[in-house]
Amino acid sequence: MESRSTFRLGPFTGWALTVLLAVLAVAPLTYPGFFEAESGFLPVFRAAQLSGAWPGPANPLRGEGVLPYLLAHPFSAVSGSGVTAVKWGYGLSFLLAAWGVYAWLRRRLGTTGAVLAAVAYTYLPWHLAAVYRRGAYGEAWLWASWPWLLWAIDRLVDGRRWGFLAAAAVGLAALLLALGSQPGLAALSLLLLTAYALAQVPGRRRKLIIAVALALEVVILSAVARTTPAPRVAFEASFLAPFQLLAAGPQPGENGVTTGVGGHILPGLGLAGAGLTLVAAGLWFGQTRAERRAADLARPGVARWLGFWAAVLLVLLLLSLSAAAPLWRVTGLQGLLTYPWQVLALAGLPLAFLAGSVVWLDERLAGLPAWAGLVALVVLASYASLAPAFTTVDPGPEPVAAFVPVGAPSAQILLLEADIAPPQEITPTLVLTLTWQAVDPVAADYTTFVHLLDEQGEKVAQRDGQPCGGECPTSSWQPGAIVVDRYELAVPPESLPGPYDLRLGLYLLEGGLRSGVLGREDDGIVLDVPR
């Protein structure tokens, strides 16, 4: 491509520009505080405690592994803050993802095409949502590892002696990182990686080899998936509707509350990524046979890969729709995922390739003004995804308590902070301020009970009520959002001067069933009242 273009980027300039253009995706991580993603502060607690299983996934294949948190732990040790550690981890994942796409595609699309592909991959709304909307720390590192795996496959196929060991080392590290980040989705991605590797095998028998290899992998992965417990949500109830693939943002529900699939608010594929893909398709089909042959001579093999990645993209889109339900059932691969739409994370690879290929398909788009305009379009189109809500709350290495609602498989409500203003002689009223966060949609409305206990454990005062005086019931809490609640307890004049304890918990008003507390056998927590 660059031999036909008047605009050229040197390899070093391409590397540097890729990093500089990724800075805007990292910029929100420099804001004070932490963003209110759906996972809340769970990644922070896992990084601080060096445990990828807090508060414990029901299935290790569908949960997050510990390896990405190992990478963040040194930052926690240096800064003393789990928030800082996770933000550094997210930032590194963005930069490695951008570099990985550039390294993978520089030889195929040239430096200008590779930089454009890296920018498209970095700023895909699905990628940004994995970090800033869903807080999927493990998936963020999957995005970083996949392009490096493809780069390693290319270098291994080249068979150059000096690069073989380096490619093998990078590929092994990226594979371990992928499997250690989110094992189920990483295992499913092996099908794509296998097809990509075998597509480079020459000879007429290639299609048969690919078909046999993929069939064997499906059988093996299906056997593994069928041994896992079913997810806590109905897999087939979480397929996307076709319009959601191109939706510009979350759809409003009843009473103005945004709704999503499986409790998650999902973005579409994005204007820039989908638009450039359609432009690439239009340019390719609009070329004459002679123009295609000339273009393929300038950059050998790209035409074949256009068809490969277009087919991959169509398959991934189909797998996220209800039409693919029979295929999921027959293969049993749904056991690797919680939601079918998770496969769209893999769509970032074909979208990046197809977006970067436009400068190869039309040399006019490789000129500096047009190319710079395309890069700016990709970045600006993602602006809405780069404005997450932030909170200055910092609960430290663990929450005050994690509540497990009645019938729930895991903790869904975190008590991040509990500030107590003790009663004074002049104002004998205790003021309790609770800072809550839901990390999953809560099905029912819970009532908070607050009991003030004396030294003998006798109840001195009591206050029960729904959060915010009933203005913000727990069933309306959006995952990740911070809810601050305040209670006042008047201490009777005849009561002893203290010391006091506070006992609090959650219960259902109808029936009186109490929410459990993670790590405790009883159904409440006790806080010391400062003197």
Side-chain angles (χ1 to χ4, degrees), residues 59 71 86 114 141 152 164 233 289 294 325 335 355 399 408 466 481 497 508:
N59 185 296
L71 298 176
V86 170
W141 280 97
F164 185 86
V233 298
R289 188 171 299 179
Q466 289 197 359
L508 293 172

Side-chain angles (χ1 to χ4, degrees), residues 169-187:
V170 171
L172 179 60
L175 181 60
L176 291 176
L177 179 59
L179 292 173
S181 298
Q182 203 172 54
L185 185 55

